[in-house]
Amino acid sequence: MRQKVRLGDSDNQLQSRFQQVTLAIATTCREANRADDSVDLLAVSKAKPREAIAELAQVGQRHFGENYLQEAIPKIEHLSSLQLVWHFIGSIQSNKSRDIAKNFDWVHTVDRERVARRLNDARSRSETPLNVCIQVNVDDEPQKSGTPHDRCEELATLVDELPYLSLRGLMVIPKPLHPVEDMRHAFARTKQLFDALKQDRPDSFDTLSMGMTEDYAIAIDEGATMIRLGTALFGPRR
Ligand SMILES: *Cc1c(COP(=O)(O)O)cnc(C)c1O
């Protein structure tokens, strides 16, 4: 009995956070003169148990993001009957490309030719194409993952040619800058690049993945179409 009650409580907490987040997204959209449904929510479930994912799925969340392959594969397998959509958002070691392509529906962190080619090769003909975003190194930081801003077009053109990848858009993780205006600038710069690339790809290039718990309102204001929230939904990670 006791355990049942506790489970019920955590249920409520997760569900009420989900409702708050959904409401906050809608409010932010309206303030930015955007349609309520113009932003998709990606629930970042790294370091969270499969039970929490199943609970969120129960209230209608479909898209989940994971950073680490080893952690993600058992969750994906265990929850396969729920028909969730899985997004890989971690940095990619190219020797892991095969398993990523086999287990995920989306990859947000394509940042070099070798990875793109390997993902493409691993995706077999019988499957639907893998949805990919190019990760932009918007701050042009030498150590950071992501394609330098001025190389994105070249990589996009390459991905266009790969039959088992579907180029869906761009993803960015600006360095956590203060003041906030610098963050806004990084998002705005990514949006400009997104719009430029979209001109040649009007149909399928529709995803601008930017904004996390701390900065998603700014990201929505600057044109994000998918925000990636972990803490806001699941609470703090250890
Ligand atoms: C962990 C992570 C998130 C979620 O971060 P929160 O601040 O907890 O919302 C989003 N995107 C990426 C790439 C991450 O690694």
Side-chain angles (χ1 to χ4, degrees), residues 44 46 67 89 171 173 212-213 228-232 237:
V44 177
K46 65 178 169 213
N67 293 57
I89 60 170
M171 180 270 208
I173 316 172
M212 301 165 44
T213 293
R228 309 179 307 268
L229 301 186
T231 311
R237 292 180 292 275

Side-chain angles (χ1 to χ4, degrees), residues 25-140:
I25 293 170
T27 306
T28 309
C29 284
R30 244 168 275 146
E31 283 168 4
N33 287 317
R34 299 184 53 185
D36 280 16
D37 60 358
S38 61
V39 176
D40 288 323
L41 173 59
L42 177 61
V44 177
S45 47
K46 65 178 169 213
K48 298 297 170 183
R50 38 181 93 140
E51 290 78 10
I53 298 171
E55 280 175 28
L56 267 196
Q58 233 170 41
V59 291
Q61 179 62 30
R62 308 248 50 89
H63 295 268
F64 289 86
E66 290 279 340
N67 293 57
Y68 307 103
L69 195 59
Q70 306 290 70
E71 180 192 337
I73 289 176
K75 290 181 184 174
I76 294 172
E77 284 173 357
H78 190 84
L79 298 169
S80 63
S81 66
L82 299 181
Q83 311 232 298
L84 303 175
V85 183
W86 292 96
H87 298 240
F88 188 80
I89 60 170
S91 60
I92 305 176
Q93 295 167 266
S94 61
N95 64 340
K96 299 282 170 61
S97 307
R98 163 169 278 282
D99 286 332
I100 293 171
K102 271 170 58 182
N103 287 282
F104 285 83
D105 306 292
W106 284 71
V107 177
H108 289 222
T109 43
V110 173
D111 64 355
R112 56 198 189 275
E113 176 175 344
R114 198 152 103 103
V115 162
R117 289 195 186 280
R118 286 202 174 197
L119 290 171
N120 180 68
D121 292 347
R123 195 82 177 183
S124 87
R125 272 156 223 268
S126 60
E127 288 174 295
T128 52
L130 182 64
N131 297 296
V132 302
C133 294
I134 291 174
Q135 183 179 355
V136 187
N137 182 352
V138 68
D139 302 308
D140 291 328

